[in-house]
């Protein structure tokens, strides 16, 4: 379901006229709706470390430098060099001294990744949670919905319920509104389904312990 589909679902829920093009959305209420959809999409993507936001990126660390600009837009989960994992270290001192040749760690300073200097170029294998929440028709990620064909990184069918009911709640924002309770229950249900059904790892599944007498 793309951005225009989500908009029209919201308009239908709020008993407004649906549109054929985003350019038709000129009223104040329309602008609030567009903002609400983006806000809900970002909020949901940021409340958990979702599997659907996990990405992989490779970057080159030049020899004898020990630092590169952070090459990803998101929260780093793992960094591997030559198949070995490097863990994050908040203490910057080891990276600013010469006595760090055996350090299997990295740190961050001024939007740069810091490592021990290597005698040759090294390839970083980075696993991270992207901060982007939207993908366009050319499969390019970005943070916000802009064009009709844009889609949320939240997988279907969860994206429809989460974004439509969440956005309607934000636009109306009045618990006394006759559809408010319905939207709220559907939004909560969609979030629960998203949490319970998007895990792809057996390690995150419920455990069953068999006790022997």
């Amino acid at each position: 379901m793309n951005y225009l589909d989500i908009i029209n679902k919201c308009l239908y829920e709020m008993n407004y006229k649906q549109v054929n093009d985003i350019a038709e959305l000129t009223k104040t209420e329309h602008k609030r709706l567009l903002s609400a959809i983006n806000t809900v999409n970002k909020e949901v993507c940021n409340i958990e470390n979702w599997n659907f936001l996990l990405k992989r990126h490779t970057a080159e660390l030049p020899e004898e430098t020990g630092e590169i600009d952070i090459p990803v837009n998101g929260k780093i989960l793992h960094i591997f060099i030559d198949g070995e994992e490097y863990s994050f270290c908040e203490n910057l001192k080891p990276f600013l001294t010469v006595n760090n040749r055996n350090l299997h760690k990295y740190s961050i300073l001024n939007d740069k990744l810091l490592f021990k200097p290597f005698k040759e170029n090294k390839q970083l294998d980075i696993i991270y949670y992207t901060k982007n929440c939207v993908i366009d028709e050319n499969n390019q990620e970005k943070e916000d919905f802009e064009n009709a064909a844009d889609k949320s990184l939240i997988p279907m069918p969860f994206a429809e319920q989460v974004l439509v009911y969440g956005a309607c709640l934000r636009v109306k924002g009045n618990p006394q509104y006759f559809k408010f309770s319905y939207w709220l229950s559907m939004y909560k249900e969609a979030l629960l389904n998203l949490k319970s059904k998007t895990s792809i790892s057996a390690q995150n599944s419920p455990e069953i312990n068999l006790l022997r007498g």
Side-chain angles (χ1 to χ4, degrees), residues 85-158:
E85 183 170 7
Y86 281 60
S87 57
F88 177 69
C89 177
E90 291 188 12
N91 182 14
L92 290 169
K93 185 177 178 180
F95 302 92
L96 305 177
T97 63
V98 295
N99 188 26
N100 62 2
R101 289 290 174 177
N102 296 318
L103 195 65
H104 277 63
K105 296 180 181 292
Y106 73 93
S107 194
I108 295 176
L109 176 66
N110 295 332
D111 295 325
K112 290 185 180 293
L113 292 176
L114 305 182
F115 297 86
K116 65 181 182 182
F118 292 92
K119 293 182 179 179
E120 64 280 333
N121 292 349
K122 291 291 183 179
Q123 181 171 282
L124 308 181
D125 189 5
I126 305 172
I127 309 298
Y128 69 103
Y129 292 100
T130 181
K131 285 185 179 178
N132 293 319
C133 307
V134 175
I135 191 167
D136 67 18
E137 59 184 340
N138 297 315
N139 291 323
Q140 296 298 309
E141 292 181 8
K142 55 186 180 178
E143 294 192 12
D144 294 306
F145 287 109
E146 296 172 306
N147 305 312
D150 291 345
K151 295 181 179 180
S152 174
L153 289 182
I154 301 171
M156 289 293 292
F158 313 106

